[in-house]
Amino acid sequence: MSKHFYITKEPLDVNVVVEKVVHPHAGAINTFIGTVRELTNERRTLFLEYDAYIPMAEKKLAQIGSEINSRWNEARVAIGHRIGRLDISDIAVVIAVSTPHRADSYEASRYAIERIKEIVPIWKKEHWEDGEKWIGDQLEKTEYPSGKPGKENLDD
Amino acid sequence: MINVLLFAGLQEKVGKSELSVEKQEVTVDQLITHIRETEPKLDLSNVMVAVNEEFVNNPGQVIREGDTVALLPPVSGG
């Protein structure tokens, strides 16, 4: 797959994402791997199901790449996100960022995952032993005060 | 006719992946009001509208036949 920003139904291969950002100017490649967690607030997850608005999600991932390019000099970014049914410890998202110096690669990687949780149309459904639910807002992050993204979250 | 794509919980609630709205031109606000009436089961309180794969902030924005419209619940990827 040649795309730098993609949604896939297949298992993610970390190396495939990393290879997309290899560059002679890079002195660091930071890789973030998001995996399926079994316990959230002491509730046991059996598996997750992800849905996405694929063309828009890929566009928004690419937008995050552009945002990173405008903030961190010479950064290269690739992001893959898996959808469908994922079991515990399966990889849901891989972010690779290469930059000339290491500090930027950490910061840009963190920026990418936070932005994914704000603007990329992907949804997660938790399946527990005693029920299931589409997750609309994640407790580990600040909710939008107005209940939806503000203009600052949406601009290109 | 305007087709409106549904995802995640919205899709499950109505049991289909898109709604057909028998209008040629409608504002975002009018569209939401229309869907609230035709699909009362749907909770649209935190839903965002995307037109041609971009979030719409202006409720007065006009949607025309041929535009790609989607209702997006709060996202939870990553």
Side-chain angles (χ1 to χ4, degrees), chain A residues 49-53 55-56 59-60 63 81 92-93 113 116-125 132 134-138 147-151 154 156, chain B residues 5-13 29 45-59 67-78:
Chain A
E49 197 183 328
Y50 282 95
D51 187 20
Y53 180 11
M56 181 169 171
K59 216 166 130 178
K60 290 285 145 190
Q63 177 188 322
H81 200 300
V93 61
I113 187 66
I116 287 171
K117 290 170 182 291
E118 287 172 352
I119 66 162
V120 181
I122 300 174
W123 301 274
K124 163 168 87 176
K125 188 183 195 180
E132 54 180 50
W134 284 102
I135 305 302
D137 49 71
Q138 295 173 289
K148 57 186 183 183
K151 192 160 182 3
L154 303 178
D156 285 348
Chain B
L5 304 174
L6 303 175
F7 298 93
L10 298 178
Q11 186 177 110
E12 256 177 28
K13 199 87 183 175
D29 241 7
S45 47
N46 288 324
V47 162
M48 294 284 295
V49 175
V51 177
N52 300 327
E53 299 169 7
E54 262 315 322
F55 290 106
V56 171
N57 269 329
N58 169 14
D67 285 336
T68 303
V69 185
L71 297 184
L72 310 180
V75 305
S76 52

Side-chain angles (χ1 to χ4, degrees), chain A residues 72-86:
Chain A
W72 288 278
N73 204 23
E74 284 199 79
R76 284 175 176 75
V77 188
I79 305 173
H81 200 300
R82 185 174 168 192
I83 58 172
R85 180 192 159 128
L86 275 73

Side-chain angles (χ1 to χ4, degrees), chain A residues 57-73:
Chain A
E58 291 186 339
K59 216 166 130 178
K60 290 285 145 190
L61 291 176
Q63 177 188 322
I64 293 170
S66 308
E67 290 173 3
I68 287 172
N69 289 145
S70 67
R71 285 167 174 77
W72 288 278
N73 204 23

Side-chain angles (χ1 to χ4, degrees), chain B residues 4-75:
Chain B
V4 180
L5 304 174
L6 303 175
F7 298 93
L10 298 178
Q11 186 177 110
E12 256 177 28
K13 199 87 183 175
V14 294
K16 45 189 174 183
S17 59
E18 58 182 78
L19 300 173
S20 296
V21 176
E22 295 292 336
K23 291 181 188 301
Q24 288 178 332
E25 205 177 278
V26 72
T27 65
V28 168
D29 241 7
Q30 289 165 343
L31 181 78
I32 293 291
T33 305
H34 178 85
I35 295 173
R36 273 189 217 279
E37 285 164 8
T38 55
E39 301 288 345
K41 279 186 298 184
L42 286 183
D43 174 12
L44 302 181
S45 47
N46 288 324
V47 162
M48 294 284 295
V49 175
V51 177
N52 300 327
E53 299 169 7
E54 262 315 322
F55 290 106
V56 171
N57 269 329
N58 169 14
Q61 179 166 328
V62 175
I63 298 166
R64 295 186 178 81
E65 237 176 355
D67 285 336
T68 303
V69 185
L71 297 184
L72 310 180
V75 305

Side-chain angles (χ1 to χ4, degrees), chain A:
Chain A
M1 186 162 324
S2 64
K3 281 197 274 192
H4 277 54
F5 302 96
Y6 63 96
I7 304 293
T8 178
K9 291 174 176 141
E10 306 300 321
L12 286 164
D13 181 336
V14 176
N15 285 328
V16 167
V17 183
V18 169
E19 277 161 18
K20 293 172 191 290
V21 303
V22 171
H23 192 273
H25 293 181
I29 298 177
N30 191 298
T31 310
F32 174 84
I33 303 170
T35 56
V36 177
R37 181 178 53 236
E38 184 173 30
L39 291 174
T40 299
N41 303 323
E42 294 173 16
R43 201 164 192 195
R44 186 177 303 278
T45 297
L46 301 178
F47 63 95
L48 294 183
E49 197 183 328
Y50 282 95
D51 187 20
Y53 180 11
I54 295 172
M56 181 169 171
E58 291 186 339
K59 216 166 130 178
K60 290 285 145 190
L61 291 176
Q63 177 188 322
I64 293 170
S66 308
E67 290 173 3
I68 287 172
N69 289 145
S70 67
R71 285 167 174 77
W72 288 278
N73 204 23
E74 284 199 79
R76 284 175 176 75
V77 188
I79 305 173
H81 200 300
R82 185 174 168 192
I83 58 172
R85 180 192 159 128
L86 275 73
D87 294 314
I88 305 305
S89 298
D90 277 354
I91 297 174
V93 61
V94 178
I95 300 168
V97 182
S98 72
T99 53
H101 301 285
R102 66 181 180 283
D104 285 353
S105 71
Y106 280 106
E107 285 175 24
S109 174
R110 178 68 188 262
Y111 178 87
I113 187 66
E114 301 302 334
R115 286 297 272 163
I116 287 171
K117 290 170 182 291
E118 287 172 352
I119 66 162
V120 181
I122 300 174
W123 301 274
K124 163 168 87 176
K125 188 183 195 180
E126 290 267 5
H127 289 260
W128 301 289
E129 280 159 338
D130 56 347
E132 54 180 50
K133 185 176 188 263
W134 284 102
I135 305 302
D137 49 71
Q138 295 173 289
L139 297 172
E140 63 187 347
K141 78 170 182 63
T142 315
E143 278 185 70
Y144 303 116
S146 63
K148 57 186 183 183
K151 192 160 182 3
E152 70 281 4
N153 300 118
L154 303 178
D155 285 348
D156 285 348

